[in-house]
Amino acid sequence: MSQALLFSLLKSRHIRDVDHALAMSLQRLDPETQELVAVAVALASKAHSLGHSCLPLDRLDDLLIEASAGPAPQIPEAQAFLAVLKTSAWVVKGESLQNCVLVLDQDTIALKRYRDYENRLALNLVQRLAAGTKSISADMENFRGELFPESIESAQAVAAKRACETGFFLLTGGPGTGKTTTIGRLLQLLQYQANENASVLRIGLAAPTGKAATRLSESLRTVMGSGQLSVPVPVEQMEAKTLHRLLGSKPNSVQFRHDAGHPLPLDVLIVDEASMIDLPLVCKLLEALPLHARLILVGDPDQLPSVETGNVLRACCDAIALRSDSERHRVHLERVYRQDADSDIAVAAQTVLSGDSGRFIQGLQQGHFRGVHWQAGSGRALEKIIADEAVSHYQKIRRANSLEQALKLSSEFRVLCAARESGAGSIAINRYIANRLKKKSDADFYQGRLCLVTENTAREKLFNGDVGLCWPDEQGILRIWVETAAGLKAWHPANFPAHEDAYAITVHKSQGSEFERVLLVLPDASHRVLSRELLYTGITRAKKRIEICADQTSMMTAISRQNRRWSLLSHRLSQNGH
């Protein structure tokens, strides 16, 4: 087998070493393997690393552009790949997933494992959608009117009703549109329904990250505590867990304690920040959830999709839109309730989503978006902005009078970056800020340091994305404090899992979090990470003020480029999962 094209793709960095190794393993197992088959496997592997669950053969050039900013070697047309793939023993066609590496379906290719996840998820969702709907009682309808006195026809009130009538429901909307308020009132409505039937309702609340789970729990406690509850909801049902904690992580394993053979003991599961969940995790979650249990996914489909493979929430929204009963399975909240009187952050975010870069830039230049500010900066100019906006705030944390004050300050501001690498990346900015904050006498851990957990640890019950604050306890011993869904907890530095500084984090890592103020730093326009969804997500992390540090070309490039994931999930759902 010739290796010229495969090696050229590796040399030009359009595929990774692991993609190349996977392709070369085919030749070792079968020397008769044609080069285009090996190339197809390498490209499919690379596509999965970029978040796609499949690779359309007519989008090969687009993949190469996405994979690298450099020139790509010339590759054959889709028909040439199809000709060899249809006759290869490494490739399975259609639905039967036998012992193969690659699946060819609808002129797309996918690694067998991800094709399997997508098919299993589609079959599970189709079964839930086929369960039909059941109207709520007249008494329940009256109680719904009590829960939503402002208007029983409001989108929130309609969403609560439909979520009680169907086994699978999507509640979507941007920040401040009342998703959590709706969940809080929905919990009371579900409890009322259980009381009607004289049954005990087992409700689970979950989110992808510890921060998102903590925010959901805190927000629900605020919503529930804002007035006298007509129907009390057990306190334990207002505690959200991370998905890994809910499913039961196993040390050194990608499997969970709860699966189809050991299902979750739940009747209702509400999952917040669903846009962040990757395809394999959603598949395992749904297989662990009994089919009789009601599933409600909550999130913003316009946000960045998962760091890993798939964009399940968007695919579900697209598939539901094609159904004749789509209104029963999804409500999208549009009215913004939580908007600072002196801020137009939501307006700016919607302008980004519209794709009108000219109107967005003009709005920034002319000050039309209150609370949204723009500075062009790189090199020394960027350092000055970081020093003025970030270092000064983090120094206040070091000088705080108490742990409570330090925690409050740490949640008020964050630097967000589009990427980890480059001079405008989180690694370089974290290093710059840490060097300005640390004293000569400081060890690796020092009072006021913010630490971002970078791995899931079942033993310590800490998860990728959790943020800890270094602060002494009552005995003066330095601890790392983390606000978890179960409350504030402390760890000894020696027991803290893999981590890095959290003064600057990527926009991806910031999902599920909100801050009073945000400094959003974008790299130059050549970075492929720039997209409309990234800019929208970064802007909407701020509640009162956002400072965007970027040149005009970077922002225009981001708005012109959409982060779309290639997938057949919507197709499978519309085809009854097959």
Side-chain angles (χ1 to χ4, degrees), residues 14-32:
H14 285 84
I15 60 174
R16 304 164 298 163
D17 290 337
V18 66
D19 307 323
H20 182 264
L22 175 61
M24 292 301 296
S25 68
L26 304 188
Q27 185 194 27
R28 288 194 296 274
L29 292 169
D30 181 5
E32 300 300 316

Side-chain angles (χ1 to χ4, degrees), residues 92-148:
V92 68
K93 300 86 183 170
E95 297 303 316
S96 175
L97 293 184
Q98 52 199 26
N99 186 23
C100 64
V101 176
L102 208 61
V103 179
L104 175 64
D105 189 11
Q106 303 290 317
D107 288 346
T108 72
I109 53 176
L111 295 183
K112 174 187 173 182
R113 180 168 51 134
Y114 291 98
R115 168 63 176 80
D116 185 42
Y117 279 134
E118 202 166 70
N119 191 44
R120 285 158 50 195
L121 176 58
L123 288 170
N124 189 293
L125 286 171
V126 165
Q127 287 178 288
R128 295 180 188 277
L129 287 166
T133 59
K134 184 178 180 180
S135 299
I136 64 176
S137 69
D139 287 342
M140 234 181 124
E141 182 69 6
N142 290 333
F143 180 58
R144 186 171 70 96
E146 295 177 22
L147 289 174
F148 297 92

